[in-house]
Amino acid sequence: MVENAWAFMPVFAYAAKGIGFVLGSWGAGALVLSLVAGYLACLALHRLLRERLGNSAAMWAVVFFAAGPIAAMFQVGYAETLFLLLLFLALDATIRRRYVWLYILIPVMAFTRPGILAFALYLGLHGVLRWIRRAQDPLPGREIAHILALGALATASGFAWQAIAGIVTGDPGAYLATELAWRQHWITGGVEGFIPFEGWVQASQFWFALWGMPQWWGPLVLAVLVIGASAALLFSPQVRALGADLRLWSASYLLYLLAVFFPQSSTFRLLLPLSPLWGAVAVSRSRLWRIGVLAACLVGQWFWIYHVYALGSTFWQVP
């Protein structure tokens, strides 16, 4: 069980290679791709939020997104900004009931970065919500067919890379073994296998022990965080202003992370698909609040870049 390239999806890598062929190197191609995709993601996020929050709040949400603590992702060779562009377009298409576009977006998302299974869950919840509200919001048969077909497509796409890795390597568990290899630095005694939701419990115990606190505090704090996030999605007026679909997406992605992720140095980067929640932060019309949040974003950006890139010298500082 060793870390290897099967942990990474092919779309960004090959797109960067194609652009880099013209510019002279893969690194140059990756930089341009990340910058352009990040810029387009800002436009897509503004479109996604504008009709729900108004132009001013949507613009401030984009400012927070573009200047946030993890804004360095806009200019490094990671697939994050390309995935976010595709995600914002997919969320917008779903909310506007333009389901046909998802037949293109879903497969490309699936081979850009892990996370499409969260979108499959979101589509299921979207379909349930539309069914419940069908008296007020008519649900034609063709849209039911689209939602079911797209949910199946997203689910199949979510497991496709695992199947491909298994076929190419001859080991059906190759992809899971690769992903679990990235945990072995953190868990004493090694990793036996994948059990959903186990990673967060293990990591909470690891981090609290590392910080010199009782290990049993970790799962307790984790439970408080889960309850707090659930309460915010259900009851916060600012979050509710985003509309049901963006709340359902946020819940789906958080549940996905809780099920499959082992929180470590990449945690903040993996939270980027929750970026529509910047809209909830931007709802307040207080200029002092907005400037204060922007200042906090810039300070957080400096702190993250300094500690991950300037001081990064070991496995727990990998972005």
Side-chain angles (χ1 to χ4, degrees), residues 21-88:
F21 179 78
V22 177
L23 298 179
S25 71
W26 186 90
L31 170 62
V32 170
L33 180 56
S34 289
L35 281 172
V36 172
Y39 172 74
L40 294 176
C42 289
L43 298 181
L45 180 61
H46 185 270
R47 172 182 168 87
L48 182 63
L49 297 175
R50 182 181 57 212
E51 292 185 8
R52 291 155 193 81
L53 304 179
N55 187 68
S56 176
M59 184 62 72
W60 274 99
V62 170
V63 170
F64 298 152
F65 167 64
I70 318 298
M73 289 296 106
F74 282 75
Q75 48 195 301
V76 295
Y78 277 76
E80 257 57 35
T81 55
L82 181 58
F83 182 83
L84 290 174
L85 169 61
L86 297 168
L87 172 64
F88 297 160

Side-chain angles (χ1 to χ4, degrees), residues 148-230:
L148 292 174
L150 289 166
L153 175 62
T155 302
S157 299
F159 290 104
W161 191 242
Q162 295 184 38
I164 292 170
I167 292 170
V168 173
T169 64
D171 178 3
Y175 177 76
L176 279 179
T178 298
E179 289 292 349
L180 291 175
W182 296 84
R183 299 185 183 185
Q184 63 189 353
H185 297 297
W186 309 84
I187 301 176
T188 303
V191 182
E192 297 297 327
F194 172 71
I195 300 176
F197 302 103
E198 182 184 43
W200 281 84
V201 176
Q202 290 177 329
S204 66
Q205 294 172 328
F206 168 85
W207 284 109
F208 273 79
L210 184 67
W211 296 331
M213 292 180 278
Q215 282 191 341
W216 64 269
W217 285 13
L220 180 62
V221 172
L222 175 61
V224 172
L225 289 174
V226 170
I227 294 170
S230 301

Side-chain angles (χ1 to χ4, degrees), residues 73-315:
M73 289 296 106
F74 282 75
Q75 48 195 301
V76 295
Y78 277 76
E80 257 57 35
T81 55
L82 181 58
F83 182 83
L84 290 174
L85 169 61
L86 297 168
L87 172 64
F88 297 160
L89 292 174
L91 289 171
D92 191 63
T94 305
I95 293 170
R96 295 176 187 271
R97 319 290 165 78
R98 296 174 181 174
Y99 297 114
V100 173
W101 287 104
L102 296 178
Y103 290 100
I104 299 171
L105 291 168
I106 284 174
V108 181
M109 288 169 63
F111 288 94
T112 299
R113 176 191 179 279
I116 197 63
L117 289 176
F119 197 82
L121 174 59
Y122 158 67
L123 282 174
L125 296 175
H126 169 81
V128 170
L129 181 65
R130 291 213 57 197
W131 178 261
I132 293 172
R133 294 180 174 179
R134 65 189 184 281
Q136 300 81 29
D137 180 11
L139 180 59
R142 68 179 182 279
E143 294 191 352
I144 295 176
H146 278 311
I147 293 170
L148 292 174
L150 289 166
L153 175 62
T155 302
S157 299
F159 290 104
W161 191 242
Q162 295 184 38
I164 292 170
I167 292 170
V168 173
T169 64
D171 178 3
Y175 177 76
L176 279 179
T178 298
E179 289 292 349
L180 291 175
W182 296 84
R183 299 185 183 185
Q184 63 189 353
H185 297 297
W186 309 84
I187 301 176
T188 303
V191 182
E192 297 297 327
F194 172 71
I195 300 176
F197 302 103
E198 182 184 43
W200 281 84
V201 176
Q202 290 177 329
S204 66
Q205 294 172 328
F206 168 85
W207 284 109
F208 273 79
L210 184 67
W211 296 331
M213 292 180 278
Q215 282 191 341
W216 64 269
W217 285 13
L220 180 62
V221 172
L222 175 61
V224 172
L225 289 174
V226 170
I227 294 170
S230 301
L233 290 174
L234 286 170
F235 305 116
S236 169
Q238 291 81 10
V239 178
R240 291 175 66 88
L242 298 176
D245 273 280
L246 294 183
R247 291 159 64 208
L248 288 177
W249 159 251
S250 300
S252 299
Y253 188 72
L254 284 172
L255 183 60
Y256 166 79
L257 284 185
L258 196 63
V260 307
F261 184 53
F262 182 92
Q264 24 82 7
S265 58
S266 299
T267 300
F268 294 108
R269 175 171 61 83
L270 268 70
L271 291 176
L272 277 173
L274 295 172
S275 292
L277 291 177
W278 279 120
V281 181
V283 165
S284 172
R285 295 182 178 275
S286 167
R287 183 174 295 274
L288 181 62
W289 166 259
R290 288 171 169 174
I291 293 176
V293 171
L294 177 58
C297 285
L298 294 174
V299 170
Q301 185 180 147
W302 174 87
F303 184 86
W304 191 79
I305 291 173
Y306 179 70
H307 282 272
V308 171
Y309 284 101
L311 300 182
S313 60
T314 185
F315 67 91

